[in-house]
């Protein structure tokens, strides 16, 4: 059994959940409440020195960390269905799109950045929310420019089957929608996001379907 530490709202945990579902791998997830600071408890810090989620345990080995590294591990150990194209150029494009979300924009909206804005810089809630909406939107706008013009875009980010880039796109879209960032004006991003959410593997992994998610949403 695969064991994972995650959090319902965590975009990185969302990506890994989708990959596990797509590849048909059973797992159990223990929620680490990032809002309550459980990631900084000594017990969890012993699991993940960065005090972040997800952390994935496979068999009796040490934990795997960093969502994209976990996706690569799952791809290498369970290659079907594939999250990366067969050709080198295609793999490079998919990884580039994935990093646009996971490396360029997601780090700007994570809890530790939010806390720094509030506690150290004394930025009020309205302006913090403006910061989050700006960076959510900026990443999606950049993705729209690429996805709407590059010939390898299909029903999904690359071709007509979901892959690693789609896992990163949908995690960013879900977060953006949580902060009332409208994706409808980004037609390619919006279309791909809806195609993803129509698949059971994505829908079951959605943050709002996880334990601890607010019922009011």
């Amino acid at each position: 059994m695969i064991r994972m530490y995650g959090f319902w709202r965590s975009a990185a945990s969302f990506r890994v959940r989708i990959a596990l579902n797509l590849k048909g791998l059973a797992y159990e997830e223990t929620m680490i409440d990032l809002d309550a600071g459980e990631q900084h408890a000594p017990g969890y810090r012993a699991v993940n020195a960065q005090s972040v989620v997800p952390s994935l345990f496979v068999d009796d080995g040490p934990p795997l960390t960093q969502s994209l590294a976990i996706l690569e591990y799952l791809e290498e150990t369970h290659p079907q269905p594939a999250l990366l194209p067969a050709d080198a150029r295609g793999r490079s494009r998919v990884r580039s799109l994935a990093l646009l979300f996971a490396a360029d924009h997601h780090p700007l909206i994570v809890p530790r950045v939010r806390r720094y804005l509030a506690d150290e810089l004394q930025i009020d809630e309205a302006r913090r929310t403006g910061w989050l909406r700006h960076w959510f939107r900026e990443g999606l706008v950049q993705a729209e420019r690429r996805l709407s013009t590059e010939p390898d875009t299909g029903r999904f980010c690359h071709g007509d089957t979901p892959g690693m880039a789609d896992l990163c796109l949908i995690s960013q879209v879900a977060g953006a929608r949580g902060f009332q960032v409208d994706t409808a004006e980004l037609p390619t991003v919006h279309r791909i996001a809806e195609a993803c959410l129509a698949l059971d593997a994505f829908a079951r992994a959605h943050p709002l379907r996880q334990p601890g998610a607010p019922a009011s949403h």
Side-chain angles (χ1 to χ4, degrees), residues 134-151:
H134 169 80
W135 289 114
F136 271 123
R137 176 173 169 74
E138 183 68 14
L140 297 175
V141 166
Q142 291 182 14
E144 179 70 24
R145 290 185 192 130
R146 289 194 57 183
L147 293 168
S148 64
T149 59
E150 295 179 0

Side-chain angles (χ1 to χ4, degrees), residues 103-174:
D104 287 352
H105 294 95
H106 178 225
L108 296 169
I109 53 86
V110 295
R112 62 184 176 274
V113 170
R114 300 182 197 184
R115 283 193 296 272
Y116 187 83
L117 293 173
D119 299 341
E120 299 298 327
L121 301 184
Q122 300 293 302
I123 295 175
D124 61 51
E125 184 177 358
R127 288 192 296 161
R128 294 198 309 272
T129 300
W131 166 282
L132 297 173
R133 287 174 175 164
H134 169 80
W135 289 114
F136 271 123
R137 176 173 169 74
E138 183 68 14
L140 297 175
V141 166
Q142 291 182 14
E144 179 70 24
R145 290 185 192 130
R146 289 194 57 183
L147 293 168
S148 64
T149 59
E150 295 179 0
D152 286 327
T153 302
R155 183 183 176 208
F156 295 98
C157 287
H158 191 86
D160 295 326
T161 56
M164 189 180 294
D166 301 284
L167 277 58
C168 295
L169 177 144
I170 196 60
S171 65
Q172 201 76 347
V173 166

Side-chain angles (χ1 to χ4, degrees), residues 2-171:
I2 295 173
R3 294 182 296 115
M4 182 168 104
Y5 288 98
F7 185 50
W8 70 265
R9 198 179 60 204
S10 162
S13 300
F14 185 14
R15 296 171 202 138
V16 174
R17 275 187 224 114
I18 300 167
L20 291 166
N21 290 343
L22 284 170
K23 291 180 179 292
L25 299 173
Y27 66 97
E28 293 180 352
E29 183 173 3
T30 299
M31 296 297 174
I32 300 297
D33 190 338
L34 302 185
D35 293 333
E38 290 181 0
Q39 68 273 31
H40 301 297
Y44 186 67
R45 188 170 288 176
V47 171
N48 189 316
Q50 288 185 276
S51 296
V52 297
V53 293
S55 300
L56 195 78
F57 285 85
V58 180
D59 299 324
D60 295 323
L64 303 171
T65 62
Q66 291 292 340
S67 64
L68 292 192
I70 293 172
L71 297 184
E72 294 275 2
Y73 170 86
L74 294 174
E75 183 73 352
E76 291 177 11
T77 56
H78 300 85
Q80 297 301 323
L83 298 177
L84 291 168
D87 63 299
R89 182 174 291 275
R91 291 195 299 274
S92 179
R93 177 175 183 265
V94 167
R95 288 181 172 119
S96 173
L97 288 167
L99 288 167
L100 184 155
F101 297 111
D104 287 352
H105 294 95
H106 178 225
L108 296 169
I109 53 86
V110 295
R112 62 184 176 274
V113 170
R114 300 182 197 184
R115 283 193 296 272
Y116 187 83
L117 293 173
D119 299 341
E120 299 298 327
L121 301 184
Q122 300 293 302
I123 295 175
D124 61 51
E125 184 177 358
R127 288 192 296 161
R128 294 198 309 272
T129 300
W131 166 282
L132 297 173
R133 287 174 175 164
H134 169 80
W135 289 114
F136 271 123
R137 176 173 169 74
E138 183 68 14
L140 297 175
V141 166
Q142 291 182 14
E144 179 70 24
R145 290 185 192 130
R146 289 194 57 183
L147 293 168
S148 64
T149 59
E150 295 179 0
D152 286 327
T153 302
R155 183 183 176 208
F156 295 98
C157 287
H158 191 86
D160 295 326
T161 56
M164 189 180 294
D166 301 284
L167 277 58
C168 295
L169 177 144
I170 196 60
S171 65

